[in-house]
Amino acid sequence: MIGSGLKKLAKENNMKVAHGVAYGSLRGYAATLSEENGCKRIVFTTRFPDPAKKDALSALIGQTELKRQYKVQNLEILPRSVQITFVDNSGALKKVRSFLDWFVPLLAQHSATPADVCTECGSQITGGRWILVNGTAHYLHDTCANRVAQEIEAEKAQKAEEDTGSYALGLLGALCGSALGAVLWAIVLNIGYVASVVGLIIGWLAEKGYNLLHGKQGRAKVAILIVAVIFGVLLGTITADVFTIIGMMNDGDLYGFTYGDILPLIFFLLAGDADYRGAVVANVLMGLLFAGLGVFAMLRKTGRDVSGTQLIDLE
């Protein structure tokens, strides 16, 4: 997605906005502006025909305190792009502008290819189009863009052919993993806390279990992980009450009850005690909220992974 600040920067540079990003020529270089996980992001799609100049630029960047001067969280020079992530806080856009004033001339000095040079073949573009590949815009020749699309489809077909996993086994593994996380959830709940990090752990264990039992890497994986996380929260909430009842039995507060009576007692209370039922429902809802906050980014990443490379024609 893209916020108002980057939209303003895009408008100033006659860039277009579509599919949650701004794209176009930014001071002469093909660029994508976007925001994700509390950060602003700029990606220049460019090449460095002279490896020595690329290395020189990397060395210069390494000598500059980017975070202190420009709030740059990360800068990575890849074979066909330069990716910059900025900390998104008060005054971030001003820092972005200052960074561009400093950095864009360096691209020219180190022979980075401008917007009208195709990053696929390295030739001048006379008739081209913009495509969006996994959230990054590229300006390519029509023929180069078509070749990229064909390569992506071939890669997806190969992965689908090689994926011999099973959704059923994946579900079993995810439930086993989330059950382990439920024990931690119960312990934390008994201490008196509900933390999103525990939800993240449940999600992580669920995905670990899914992959260990060779679950199929398809779109249904995300739905299975969501089910597993919900299962983990529900099981963790009930397990917390089991721990509480065991403690009461050990203290002699529930004389005559045995461990075999614990679950029937819980179900009896759920059916007949409105206050207890309300407390359980409140714990479950709070648990689902915090678990959702914890696993949202992980599930989104998993969704991208199973979807494979996504290509969208922008023009």
Side-chain angles (χ1 to χ4, degrees), residues 7 50 188 222 227 229 255 263:
K7 283 182 179 179
D50 187 343
V188 172
V222 176
V227 169
V229 170
Y255 181 77
L263 287 180

Side-chain angles (χ1 to χ4, degrees), residues 3 21 86 105 139 252 265:
V21 304
F86 299 85
Y139 186 54
L265 177 59

Side-chain angles (χ1 to χ4, degrees), residues 1-2 28 33 47 56 64 80-81 93 97 113 120 124-126 141 187 201 204 210 243-244 252 255 302:
M1 300 301 293
I2 183 171
L33 312 181
R47 295 173 58 157
T64 307
R80 296 181 184 180
S81 68
L93 193 60
R97 295 181 195 277
T113 55
E120 283 296 308
Q124 196 85 16
I125 299 175
T126 52
H141 292 107
I187 293 172
I201 292 172
W204 182 82
Y210 187 97
F243 289 165
T244 299
Y255 181 77
T302 300

Side-chain angles (χ1 to χ4, degrees), residues 1 6 32-44 61 65-78 81-89 92-93 95-97 99-100 102-103 136:
M1 300 301 293
L6 288 185
T32 310
L33 312 181
S34 62
E35 296 183 28
E36 185 175 349
N37 297 330
C39 295
K40 296 186 185 298
R41 188 166 177 260
I42 298 178
V43 179
F44 290 101
I61 289 170
E65 296 184 11
L66 296 179
K67 188 168 186 178
R68 184 179 63 83
Q69 294 185 33
Y70 305 111
K71 301 297 182 185
V72 171
Q73 189 175 58
N74 186 58
L75 190 154
E76 189 174 8
I77 300 179
L78 301 174
S81 68
V82 179
Q83 302 183 4
I84 310 107
T85 304
F86 299 85
V87 178
D88 193 1
N89 54 21
L93 193 60
K95 292 293 184 180
V96 170
R97 295 181 195 277
F99 172 82
L100 291 173
W102 170 75
F103 185 70
T136 298

